[in-house]
Amino acid sequence: MVPRKIKDEIHWMGFVDWDTRLFDSLIPLPDGTSYNAFLIEGSEKTVLIDTVESSLSDELLSQLANISKLDYVVSLHAEQDHSGSIPEILAQYPDAKLITSSKAKDILIDILSIPEDSIITVADGETLSLGDKTLEFIYTPWVHWPETMVAYLREDKILFSCDFFGSHIATTDLFVTDEARVYEAAKRYYAEIMMPFKKVIKKNMDKIARYDISIIAPSHGPMYPRPSLIIDAYNDWIEGPVQNTVVLPYISMHGSTKKMVDFLVSSLAEKGVKVEQFNLAVTDIGKLAIALVDAGTIVIGTPTVLTGPHPNVVYGAYLANALRPKVRFLSIIGSYGWGGKTVEILAGMIPNLDVEVIEPVLVKGAPSKTDFEALENLSKTIAEKHRDLGLKNN
Ligand code: FEO
């Protein structure tokens, strides 16, 4: 790949990864991703913002082949997909200094063994003159590590945001062209990476609202020439009302739980409540995360395996608890053979969720007429609670 011009003296570098399908051995990448670095050539100083995975360092070095002098490398975020090639870059440019936040300094030394005397730390709000251009560093902790910051290029009004506002998309588009596609990918990214930290991210949103931004340049996915697209979306995902939606992750082993799921979904739909149903045996966990961003209610469906919930459901509950969505209500449905502690175990797994628990419906064996009546009551209760809160369909 070759560098691509963004503006005079500002170039995209990095790698568009069309092939990888799992990030950090955890996160599905249905559309690949990109690792974006940015070269800024000021009248006096040249700076590289972020790098790429260490395995891609030769790619980045080849893009820098015509750059004889690099004064600074900026590390906005110490995670290896952006910092991994810093050692190779500093080896190629031994006079370059690494600029980062005070918290990132220790992390970069720990994970990459970067010599301490190569590092300059900048404070929140500190500026760096490149001659005719000025970079301002803004601390934005927990997007999504404690050390993260963004950089604002004053003269060009570009915000280099690293993971903040990113999306996992491989594309030849330097800038967003298909807003709906990028919105969906950025929502997936927010749900999987940022949502657990939404309260502190709100403070970061307030901080960057003071800046006049023409372009947001994240380190994954295309750049935003219309920053309000992603800024408005983040504000909505963080603080917007939950919707008249039930998210229903479930597993069924012999069909009884599935019959309960089918009944409940039909009953809720009849009452005007939207349902997003996810079979945890086959689902893309990222789609579940997206649905959790603004769901009003979660209903977990599980058979009892041995004495507790199905292991896939345990994973789903652990994930929901870790992601801390805004959800308001939660219930559990499912079938058991002879006993167990499914409800107690699941209830103990969601301490991070600030939810009202609606009476679960657990049935022995296949659901009976009485059990379907209990599910109908659960459906009525959910619909009423959504109506009382004024929840709307999106
Ligand atoms: Fe893209 Fe947190 O690294």
Side-chain angles (χ1 to χ4, degrees), residues 23-24 34-35 77-82 143-145 147-148 162-163 168 189 193-194 219-220:
F23 191 80
D24 286 352
S34 67
Y35 309 100
H77 171 32
E79 193 166 8
Q80 289 90 330
D81 50 330
H82 310 293
V143 289
H144 58 119
W145 281 12
E147 89 300 359
T148 42
C162 201
D163 279 352
H168 284 310
Y189 192 92
I193 305 283
M194 303 291 175
S219 290
H220 296 290

